Amino acid sequence: MYTSLVVVIALASCVAAAPAEDVIPIVSQSQEGPNPDGSYKWSYESGNGIKAQEEGHLENAGQENEAMNAQGSFSYPSDDGQQISLTYVANEEGFQPQGAHLPTTPEIPPLIQKALEWIAAHPSKEDQNQV
């Protein structure tokens, strides 16, 4: 019984002696909405250089193809000090990010592109039956 009490007291003193995490202040923050028409807007900036903003609205309200449309951006300093920035659109076609740090698909080699075009222009009989 006393052993358990000693262990609990020892753990509590270790937790109390642990250094507190650095608090990162919010430098600025704003929020508007959600509004009755479905629109909104928000932004913030923190003391460590992180910035983000987004605004959105409802398209085709009340219709079968109703969808949210949002666009925004965020940026932050990387571990090596480089500023990482990303802009995006999110809508019925999905999330579409853009940023210099994002990987890009390589170009299709010319011979493969030529082969793909030939295949598209000359479908096999099996492909013709499935169309």
Side-chain angles (χ1 to χ4, degrees):
M1 166 97 176
Y2 289 110
T3 307
S4 299
L5 182 59
V6 170
V7 170
V8 169
I9 291 172
L11 287 173
S13 64
C14 287
V15 169
E21 293 287 325
D22 290 337
V23 176
I24 299 170
I26 300 296
V27 176
S28 67
Q29 181 178 4
S30 68
Q31 182 174 344
E32 178 187 317
N35 299 311
D37 65 354
S39 65
Y40 66 93
K41 183 188 284 191
W42 58 261
S43 66
Y44 69 87
E45 180 178 354
S46 64
N48 62 354
I50 297 173
K51 298 177 185 178
Q53 64 88 25
E54 181 178 293
E55 59 183 87
H57 62 278
L58 187 61
E59 289 188 358
N60 306 316
Q63 299 178 17
E64 187 175 315
N65 59 345
E66 179 178 276
M68 280 301 297
N69 187 335
Q71 54 190 348
S73 64
F74 62 87
S75 64
Y76 59 93
S78 67
D79 292 338
D80 63 0
Q82 181 182 0
Q83 191 70 12
I84 304 294
S85 298
L86 184 120
T87 60
Y88 61 88
V89 172
N91 56 24
E92 65 276 356
E93 296 179 19
F95 181 71
Q96 303 151 45
Q98 293 183 343
H101 66 289
L102 296 176
T104 57
T105 56
E107 290 186 33
I108 298 174
L111 289 176
I112 293 177
Q113 182 63 43
K114 187 175 180 179
L116 291 172
E117 290 168 358
W118 189 89
I119 291 169
H122 303 88
S124 69
K125 291 186 182 200
E126 291 176 6
D127 291 339
Q128 290 174 349
N129 292 337
Q130 293 178 3
V131 176

